[in-house]
C-alpha cells in the first residue's frame, strides 16, 4: 500500500511538472515588479522591469499574465510609460471577482509576472492632424500619458512640439486620478501644447476639489466650443475607458461635425446589456455648487462668468 501511495505521488509530481513545461510561455518574457503605488483600494500604479528590451508605440497595450492552476491567465493593459523609459508602467483597476487582478494585488516588490513579448494595439497617435482631443475615464488616461510623455521627451531633446493635446480626464473622486493628476497639471502649466482638464462626477464626496465637476460627456462640448482651434476639420478625437462614456461622446462628436474616421475609441471592458439602459443609482444628492471652469477669463464663451481656473486652453491660432 505504501508503495502505491509513493507511486501515485510521483505520478502526480510528474504530471504537474509536465503541465508547467507545456504552458505556452515561449511567446512571453518575465517582468519583475519594482514599484507599486496605491491610489485607492482598487486603483494602483505598477512599474515592472522587463528581463529583455521591449519596443512599442505610445498608445499600445501589453498582455500581462500569471499562472493559475497550471495555466496562464492573460489580460491586456495599456502602457503608461513612453518607449524611452526603462520601466513599464501600468495604471490598473482591481476587478474583485476577476481571474487576474486579485492576484496582481497580491504581488509585492520583487515578484514576477509573464508578459507577451509582442506589444500591439492600434489606439496610437493619428499623425495626419496635429490637434488631439483626448477623453478618458480613470485608467483610460494610460495611452494618452504614453503619447504625452513621448512628446515631452522629444521636446526636451530639442525637437519642436509637433502636436497639441486637449485632455479631459474624469473620475468619481479626485483620488482616483492618482499621481497623474499632479503630473499632467504641472506639465500643462509648463508648456503650451498640453491642456489638462480633470473633472469629478461626485463633488459632494470630494468637498476640497477645486476643479471642474461632471462626467466627461457632460463637459466635453463646453471645451470644444471654447477651443476654437480644436475643430472637426483640424482635430482627431479619442475616447478611452468606460464604454458608456465612449458611446455618449461618440454621439456628441458626430453632432459637432467630427467624421467617424477621426473618432478613435478603446473600451476597457464590455458593458453588460443591463448597464446600457440605466446608470448606477446613487444616494440622494445635494444640489451641486456652480461648476468651476478651466478656461481663462479672456477665452470664455460669450456670456460666461469667469471663476477660478484649474487649467488652460491652447492659444488661439492668432496668438501663436
Amino acid at each position: 500500500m505504501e508503495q502505491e501511495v509513493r507511486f501515485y505521488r510521483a505520478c502526480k509530481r510528474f504530471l504537474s511538472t509536465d503541465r508547467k513545461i507545456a504552458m505556452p510561455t515561449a511567446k512571453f518574457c518575465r517582468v519583475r515588479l519594482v514599484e507599486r503605488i496605491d491610489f485607492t483600494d482598487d486603483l494602483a500604479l505598477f512599474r515592472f522591469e522587463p528581463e529583455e528590451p521591449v519596443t512599442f508605440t505610445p498608445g499600445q497595450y501589453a498582455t500581462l499574465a500569471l499562472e493559475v492552476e497550471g495555466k496562464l491567465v492573460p489580460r491586456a493593459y495599456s502602457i503608461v510609460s513612453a518607449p524611452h523609459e526603462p520601466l513599464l508602467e501600468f495604471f490598473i483597476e482591481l476587478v474583485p471577482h476577476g481571474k487576474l487582478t486579485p492576484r496582481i494585488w497580491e504581488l509585492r516588490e520583487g515578484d514576477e509576472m509573464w508578459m507577451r513579448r509582442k506589444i500591439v494595439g492600434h489606439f496610437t497617435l493619428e499623425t495626419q492632424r496635429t490637434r488631439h482631443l483626448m477623453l478618458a475615464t480613470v485608467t483610460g488616461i494610460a495611452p494618452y500619458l504614453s503619447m504625452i510623455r513621448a512628446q515631452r521627451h522629444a521636446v526636451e531633446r530639442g525637437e519642436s512640439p509637433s502636436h497639441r493635446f486637449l485632455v479631459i480626464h474624469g473620475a468619481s473622486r479626485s483620488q482616483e486620478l492618482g499621481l497623474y493628476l499632479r503630473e499632467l497639471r504641472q506639465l500643462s502649466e509648463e508648456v503650451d501644447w498640453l491642456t489638462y482638464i480633470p473633472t469629478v462626477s461626485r463633488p459632494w464626496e470630494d468637498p476640497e476639489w477645486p476643479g471642474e465637476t461632471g462626467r466627461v460627456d457632460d463637459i466635453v462640448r463646453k471645451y470644444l466650443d471654447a477651443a476654437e482651434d480644436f475643430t472637426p476639420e483640424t482635430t482627431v478625437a479619442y475616447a478611452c475607458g468606460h464604454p458608456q462614456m465612449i458611446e455618449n461622446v461618440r454621439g456628441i462628436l458626430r453632432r459637432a461635425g467630427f467624421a467617424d474616421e477621426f473618432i478613435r475609441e478603446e473600451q476597457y471592458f464590455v458593458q453588460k446589456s443591463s448597464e446600457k439602459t440605466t446608470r448606477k443609482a446613487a444616494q440622494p444628492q445635494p444640489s451641486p455648487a456652480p461648476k468651476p471652469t478651466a478656461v481663462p477669463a479672456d477665452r470664455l464663451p460669450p456670456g460666461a462668468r469667469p471663476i477660478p481656473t484649474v487649467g488652460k486652453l491652447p492659444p488661439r491660432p492668432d496668438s501663436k
Side-chain angles (χ1 to χ4, degrees):
M1 182 67 176
E2 184 178 349
Q3 289 179 336
E4 291 177 354
V5 170
R6 283 202 294 265
F7 177 75
Y8 169 76
R9 289 175 176 171
C11 289
K12 186 175 180 180
R13 285 196 299 270
F14 172 79
L15 291 173
S16 175
T17 303
D18 184 58
R19 283 200 304 274
K20 290 180 181 179
I21 293 174
M23 281 172 49
T25 59
K27 296 182 179 180
F28 288 76
C29 67
R30 290 189 179 275
V31 293
R32 181 174 61 88
L33 180 62
V34 298
E35 186 176 19
R36 167 181 171 172
I37 301 174
D38 290 277
F39 303 148
T40 66
D41 290 341
D42 59 357
L43 290 166
L45 175 160
F46 293 83
R47 291 192 178 109
F48 291 93
E49 181 182 27
E51 66 177 356
E52 58 188 53
V54 175
T55 59
F56 63 95
T57 301
Q60 291 187 311
Y61 60 85
T63 299
L64 300 178
L66 283 170
E67 180 184 350
V68 180
E69 297 178 354
K71 297 180 180 179
L72 284 185
V73 175
R75 294 292 184 271
Y77 299 98
S78 293
I79 301 173
V80 172
S81 46
H84 70 278
E85 297 180 64
L87 301 179
L88 292 172
E89 183 175 331
F90 300 91
F91 184 13
I92 299 177
E93 180 176 3
L94 171 66
V95 180
H97 303 293
K99 291 185 178 181
L100 185 61
T101 55
R103 290 174 170 84
I104 292 178
W105 248 248
E106 295 173 359
L107 296 178
R108 297 295 178 263
E109 291 183 12
D111 290 344
E112 294 183 338
M113 292 187 70
W114 293 103
M115 186 185 76
R116 189 180 294 276
R117 289 188 173 91
K118 187 175 182 180
I119 294 177
V120 296
H122 301 289
F123 195 73
T124 54
L125 198 67
E126 175 55 70
T127 57
Q128 292 183 50
R129 295 181 171 183
T130 60
R131 299 294 188 270
H132 306 276
L133 171 65
M134 296 176 161
L135 312 173
T137 54
V138 195
T139 57
I141 197 67
Y144 307 147
L145 278 159
S146 184
M147 299 174 196
I148 290 167
R149 289 180 181 182
Q151 173 151 305
R152 180 184 61 188
H153 179 63
V155 171
E156 290 172 348
R157 296 176 63 184
E159 298 181 22
S160 299
S162 304
H163 302 275
R164 291 186 179 274
F165 305 93
L166 171 54
V167 181
I168 302 178
H169 185 195
S172 295
R173 307 160 196 86
S174 59
Q175 60 264 37
E176 295 172 4
L177 304 174
L179 295 179
Y180 305 119
L181 170 64
R182 184 172 61 197
E183 175 183 346
L184 291 172
R185 263 185 172 169
Q186 181 175 340
L187 184 61
S188 181
E189 293 170 356
E190 295 173 354
V191 302
D192 64 358
W193 48 265
L194 170 66
T195 296
Y196 176 59
I197 312 295
T199 182
V200 300
S201 61
R202 292 175 173 262
W204 56 91
E205 297 179 9
D206 201 345
E208 301 302 318
W209 174 247
E212 184 68 87
T213 60
R215 295 183 177 90
V216 171
D217 40 306
D218 293 331
I219 68 171
V220 60
R221 188 56 192 258
K222 167 183 170 181
Y223 287 95
L224 272 178
D225 290 342
E228 293 183 355
D229 56 342
F230 281 76
T231 67
E233 294 74 32
T234 63
T235 305
V236 181
Y238 309 75
C240 184
H242 197 289
Q244 187 63 59
M245 181 275 288
I246 293 174
E247 182 178 339
N248 291 345
V249 301
R250 184 192 307 126
I252 293 170
L253 293 168
R254 284 173 173 170
R255 290 190 294 274
F258 280 79
D260 284 351
E261 65 179 305
F262 293 111
I263 301 176
R264 310 287 299 279
E265 301 175 354
E266 183 143 289
Q267 294 188 12
Y268 272 8
F269 60 92
V270 177
Q271 191 175 18
K272 297 178 181 179
S273 57
S274 60
E275 295 176 341
K276 293 182 180 179
T277 56
T278 180
R279 290 184 173 179
K280 185 178 179 180
Q283 296 298 319
Q285 306 166 3
S287 299
K291 293 182 179 180
T293 177
V295 186
D298 60 344
R299 296 176 191 162
L300 288 169
R305 179 174 60 88
I307 47 185
T309 64
V310 295
K312 64 180 184 303
L313 285 175
R316 299 175 185 268
D318 58 2
S319 64
K320 291 181 182 178

